[in-house]
Every structure is written in C-alpha cells, then in structure tokens.
Amino acid sequence: MFDQPAPLRALRGVRTLLAGAIASVLLAASPALAATCGNDASGFDAWMGEFRREAVAQGIAPGTLRVLDGVTYDTKVISLDRNQKHFKVSLEEFIKNRISKGRIAKGRQMLQQYASTLARIERQYGVPGPILVAIWGMETDYGVNIGKMPILRSLSTLAYDCRRTDFFTPQLLDALRIYQRGDLTLDEMRGAWAGEIGQTQFLASSYVKFAVDFDGDGRADLVRSAPDVLASTANYLRGYGWRAGAGWGPGEPNYQALLGWNKAEVYAKALGIFAQQLTQ
C-alpha cells in the first residue's frame, strides 16, 4: 500500500478530529435518547439501567432515581397506546358525550366558588374563568377522574417502547423533576395511562414548563390545589399565545391557543361552546 502524501494525511487527521468533536457534541446534547429501546419486556431492565445513568447526566439526583426501584414494564399501557381512537365524531355527538346538563350546572357552581381566584388569574394571565372551568370540567369532571395509574411506570414503559421513545423519554425525565423539586409526592404521581397528571391532565413536560404555585404553599400542585390547577392552565394557554380580551371561536385570535391545548378541532370548538353555556 502506497504511503499517503503528508498534506493528505494531515487533512484526514483534521477530518477525524472534527468528526470526533461533532459526535461528542451530539452525544452531550441528547444523552437521554441513547438508552436502547425495545418492543417487549425482555430488555426493559437493561434499558432502565442505561436510562438511570443518562438521567444523572441530565441533572436527576441519584436519590431521586430510587423512585424507579421496582418499576416494571406495563403491558396494559402498551395495549392502550396501540389502540388509541382518534376524534372522528361530529361536533354534535362530541358535545352530547362531554357537555351534560349536570356538568354545566357544576361548572356554574365552580365559577361562583372560585370567583375571586378566577378574577386574580384573569388579571395575571388574561384568561377568563369560563374557559378555565370548561377545560377543568371536560378533562376530569372538575378533578373527579384524574386517573389512578402510576405515572412513573407508564412513562418508563412508553419511554422504553421503540414506537415513541424520543417523545416519552423527556416526559419521564420531567416527571422525575416534578418529584425532585417537591411538587408532588410519589403517591400523588398517578394519572392517565399516557402519563397525564392532575385535574387538567398536564403532560410532565407541560407541568415543568407551565405549572405555578398560585395558592402560595411552596409547590405547584396540580393534583390537589384548585388554584394551582386553574392558574397553571391559564399559564399554559398564555404560553400558546392567548390574548387577553380576544375571542376564542373559530377564526378568532384565541382559537389557536385552544388548539395548543388539544389539536382536535372538535375539542376546541366544544370548549368554546361549553364556556359560553357556563355564563348563560
């Protein structure tokens, strides 16, 4: 084999160094995505070991990671994930199933019960009470049905699963951050099968980004504190472009903020109708 000219050897050496540097930067930028995913329970424990190491690199304390001790793969979560039904119903059918006379009556009661809190929230975030109460009612019937599945088990299962590991790995990290900063106890971290938390069903990343401590007790509690729930929901909508005083029907400025809450147009339209009915 012929020896390469010195300039060519030098150029290749520079390329090798650059390639190594780029690889190092990419690895540092996304360490939480390196754990090997899988499509059945056989590789879950090995994945969890890799994830723990990467979580520490992302700022999760080793002591916090003890809450993952004993967490197992949940086949029920996988089954639910594979059999999701998308919105294909008409607006009339959706409203019939979601906006009952009883739910409207209770919503009006909530508007009165939390009138002063909602007024403070609107002054601070620009979102009126009827919209917040409508979301509260449609998501969990005002906190009655928040879900009972262990969030960390659900998110660990979905983060390991290869179908959407890139989406759910950051969700699992943020769920650990919620626990680490003291917003929720481990027992309180229960919710829907896909990891939604609290009375208006925040994903963990939305919780970390938008949850606020509105009752002043030192933690953003979206499970037990109605003021925190309502203010955090308003903060979420403001984060998606909500404009104080503007309308929220289709074609109006705040309709896009409602689609930021839920991308299904039938849902956004129903929320607007529900909010209007609460004030009649």
Side-chain angles (χ1 to χ4, degrees):
M1 182 174 183
F2 291 103
D3 194 18
Q4 296 174 350
L8 183 57
R9 289 199 304 271
L11 179 59
R12 295 197 178 198
V14 169
R15 286 176 177 170
T16 300
L17 289 172
L18 285 173
I22 291 170
S24 296
V25 170
L26 290 175
L27 182 61
S30 57
L33 303 181
T36 304
C37 66
N39 294 313
D40 56 48
S42 62
F44 182 77
D45 290 343
W47 172 89
M48 181 62 80
E50 294 175 17
F51 172 79
R52 285 173 181 265
R53 290 189 289 274
E54 294 157 3
V56 171
Q58 289 286 307
I60 305 300
T64 298
L65 289 170
R66 294 193 189 102
V67 298
L68 296 177
D69 292 352
V71 168
T72 57
Y73 182 80
D74 192 338
T75 55
K76 180 180 179 181
V77 167
I78 296 300
S79 177
L80 289 167
D81 183 57
R82 297 294 189 271
N83 293 284
Q84 295 184 72
K85 294 181 179 179
H86 299 286
F87 287 112
K88 294 182 179 179
V89 299
S90 66
L91 178 60
E92 291 75 16
E93 185 179 354
F94 186 83
I95 289 173
K96 181 180 178 180
N97 292 332
R98 294 291 190 104
I99 309 176
S100 64
K101 290 182 179 179
R103 188 165 285 179
I104 292 170
K106 189 172 181 179
R108 290 171 178 165
Q109 178 186 339
M110 292 300 184
L111 280 173
Q112 293 180 350
Q113 182 176 343
Y114 293 99
S116 61
T117 297
L118 290 166
R120 287 174 52 222
I121 290 171
E122 184 169 6
R123 286 195 297 271
Q124 185 165 339
Y125 299 102
V127 185
I131 280 289
L132 300 175
V133 171
I135 291 173
W136 194 15
M138 282 180 57
E139 288 291 343
T140 65
D141 200 13
Y142 311 103
V144 174
N145 301 310
I146 67 173
K148 298 180 180 179
M149 299 183 72
I151 294 298
L152 294 176
R153 187 183 188 197
S154 294
L155 290 178
S156 293
T157 299
L158 292 165
Y160 163 69
D161 183 57
C162 289
R163 194 170 86 89
R164 286 194 287 169
T165 188
D166 288 357
F167 177 80
F168 281 106
T169 300
Q171 297 295 331
L172 177 56
L173 286 167
D174 280 336
L176 291 167
R177 291 184 179 103
I178 292 167
Y179 174 79
Q180 181 166 275
R181 72 187 190 183
D183 287 337
L184 298 176
T185 66
L186 183 59
D187 185 61
E188 289 169 336
M189 295 189 71
R190 295 177 179 274
W193 68 265
E196 299 94 336
I197 308 171
Q199 295 189 32
T200 51
Q201 299 287 272
F202 274 38
L203 288 171
S205 59
S206 296
Y207 201 121
V208 168
K209 187 174 183 179
F210 296 116
V212 296
D213 171 22
F214 204 70
D215 62 13
D217 70 350
R219 62 180 187 142
D221 180 359
L222 304 192
V223 173
R224 302 186 189 279
S225 171
D228 289 2
V229 168
L230 295 167
S232 299
T233 305
N235 192 35
Y236 182 111
L237 290 174
R238 186 175 69 171
Y240 276 84
W242 187 277
R243 289 167 48 186
W248 56 70
E252 295 184 298
N254 288 324
Y255 187 66
Q256 290 302 313
L258 293 183
L259 290 176
W261 180 266
N262 190 305
K263 294 179 181 179
E265 292 216 26
V266 66
Y267 194 102
K269 291 175 182 177
L271 273 178
I273 292 170
F274 191 5
Q276 289 177 336
Q277 291 183 344
L278 290 176
T279 61
Q280 293 174 355

